Amino acid sequence: MYKSYTLAIFYFTLFSFLLLGSGAYLFFLKIGLDIESIHSYYLGNEAAFSLPKSNYGLLEVALPHYGAMGLIIMVTAHFFLFGNRQRKKHFAHIAIALFFAAFFDITSGFMIIKGFSFFVYIKLISFFLLELLGFYLAFMLLRLSYKGL
Amino acid sequence: MKFTLVKDVTKDTLLRPLLSGLLLFILLFLTANIFLKAQQIGLTQETISHTLFGDEENFIAPITNTFLLELIHNDLFFMMMTLLTLSAVYSRLCNKVKVRFVAINLVMISALFSLLFLILAFYFSANFILPYIVAFFLWHTMAYFMALASLLHLYTPKLSH
């Protein structure tokens, strides 16, 4: 039974890597990885004939992401419950940082369209942080599943 | 995952209905997914080909790569959460080690390959459409098997461990 759980967790980490990778590629394709592209994506661009994003449009994307990101971070991080105090503290900090990064990544869009251009930088930083910490957590879970929980 | 700690899940007054409900919803999800995919991209070689490459005669434009990526991104999330939960429940309830290993490996690998074949079909060759259909139905069949087997073990105390 124990080995079956480890096997399921191993595949879960593979899916996690693919999910993070596809998310990053989608971000690159749809929005872009520079300040100017993010600005144009949310506020529109006359030269490129793109319209600014509406609250409703952002909400359609934000709603599933709020639910999904919260769930995935909790599920991935909860596997580290079985460990010593220092290790648990370390992964607690990673999980908290991930929750914050996810929150700002999703919510920045709303602030950008309201006129707070500073959130373009917050969006980019929180996205990179989310990807980096997400990959780190998935990699550590992969190592854990390989060594055995 | 408290059910990993409860001794006899089949006799627990809370966990038994909870797991039953979860398994029934997983069965509903699998069924709905088949119907949704049939509508979204098709489940036959002809319909998938029209979706991926377009159909001039019927004025159907091919899908864009962002559409495909969003579809895969969405599928990855639901696959990962459903299959992890299902595998955990199945592992807890079913006592045949070899069958468990084969089932979990088969469902996960076929799910991953279904996505891979869809990407390969879109970017490289229509020859990957049939493997996609096979992998798609294989992971659904295995998931149905695991969910139904888990339900059987949940209501047949002698079979579970």
Side-chain angles (χ1 to χ4, degrees):
Chain A
M1 182 171 59
Y2 179 75
K3 278 187 180 170
S4 298
Y5 291 137
T6 317
L7 190 64
I9 291 163
F10 166 74
Y11 281 111
F12 176 79
T13 56
L14 285 185
F15 275 108
S16 301
F17 283 124
L18 289 172
L19 194 69
L20 285 164
S22 63
Y25 191 46
L26 259 169
F27 190 97
F28 166 69
L29 277 181
K30 289 195 88 169
I31 303 176
L33 292 172
D34 55 282
I35 301 294
E36 206 46 58
S37 308
I38 297 173
H39 202 266
S40 299
Y41 177 80
Y42 285 104
L43 299 173
N45 188 332
E46 275 182 29
F49 302 100
S50 67
L51 294 167
K53 295 283 172 278
S54 64
N55 271 318
Y56 178 74
L58 289 183
L59 204 56
E60 273 190 314
V61 176
L63 180 67
H65 279 92
Y66 278 129
M69 282 194 186
L71 189 62
I72 290 174
I73 294 167
M74 183 258 146
V75 169
T76 314
H78 100 287
F79 290 117
F80 296 97
L81 279 170
F82 311 104
N84 60 41
R85 198 187 249 180
Q86 255 186 330
R87 201 159 108 134
K88 274 162 84 166
K89 209 174 173 181
H90 170 69
F91 285 108
H93 290 147
I94 299 289
I96 291 166
L98 265 169
F99 280 123
F100 274 104
F103 172 75
F104 282 110
D105 181 35
I106 301 165
T107 316
S108 294
F110 293 101
M111 302 310 284
I112 294 167
I113 64 168
K114 278 186 169 33
F116 299 101
S117 300
F118 174 71
F119 276 88
V120 173
Y121 297 94
I122 304 281
K123 172 82 186 177
L124 197 59
I125 293 167
S126 57
F127 169 73
F128 277 114
L129 199 62
L130 181 71
E131 289 289 320
L132 203 71
L133 291 176
F135 272 111
Y136 170 71
L137 197 67
F139 174 71
M140 293 308 285
L141 186 59
L142 184 69
R143 247 183 76 175
L144 196 70
S145 71
Y146 182 72
K147 281 183 182 175
L149 281 166
Chain B
M1 296 202 337
K2 194 181 187 287
F3 60 82
T4 63
L5 303 168
V6 168
K7 252 193 162 174
D8 193 348
V9 172
T10 60
K11 288 188 180 140
D12 194 286
T13 46
L14 177 61
L15 264 177
R16 198 158 108 163
L18 282 182
L19 288 178
S20 306
L22 174 69
L23 290 165
L24 285 170
F25 267 83
I26 287 175
L27 288 169
L28 285 169
F29 163 76
L30 293 169
T31 311
N33 198 38
I34 292 172
F35 284 106
L36 180 68
K37 282 292 172 293
Q39 290 283 318
Q40 247 180 351
I41 59 168
L43 284 176
T44 62
Q45 276 199 282
E46 196 186 345
T47 49
I48 296 173
S49 181
H50 288 164
T51 306
L52 297 184
F53 312 118
D55 182 13
E56 275 180 23
E57 278 178 23
N58 295 309
F59 305 100
I60 300 170
I63 56 169
T64 59
N65 56 353
T66 48
F67 177 87
L68 182 71
L69 201 52
E70 278 173 10
L71 185 79
I72 285 170
H73 188 69
N74 201 38
D75 273 357
L76 271 168
F77 169 72
F78 284 106
M79 267 182 199
M80 128 188 194
M81 300 314 289
T82 309
L83 294 181
L84 174 74
T85 317
L86 182 58
S87 300
V89 173
Y90 178 69
S91 299
R92 179 65 183 84
L93 291 168
C94 301
N95 52 6
K96 289 184 180 159
V97 177
K98 277 187 183 167
V99 175
R100 270 204 318 258
F101 264 94
V102 169
I104 293 172
N105 275 302
L106 207 51
V107 76
M108 296 286 193
I109 290 170
S110 54
L112 283 166
F113 268 92
S114 71
L115 295 175
L116 178 67
F117 287 138
L118 188 62
I119 294 168
L120 290 173
F122 182 74
Y123 285 108
F124 292 105
S125 166
N127 292 328
F128 288 105
I129 292 177
L130 186 60
Y132 163 74
I133 296 169
V134 171
F136 177 87
F137 281 109
L138 183 60
W139 86 256
H140 279 77
T141 306
M142 287 314 300
Y144 271 120
F145 165 74
M146 286 164 71
L148 291 169
S150 302
L151 272 170
L152 180 72
H153 283 75
L154 203 51
Y155 289 93
T156 320
K158 283 181 187 174
L159 288 175
S160 64
H161 60 104

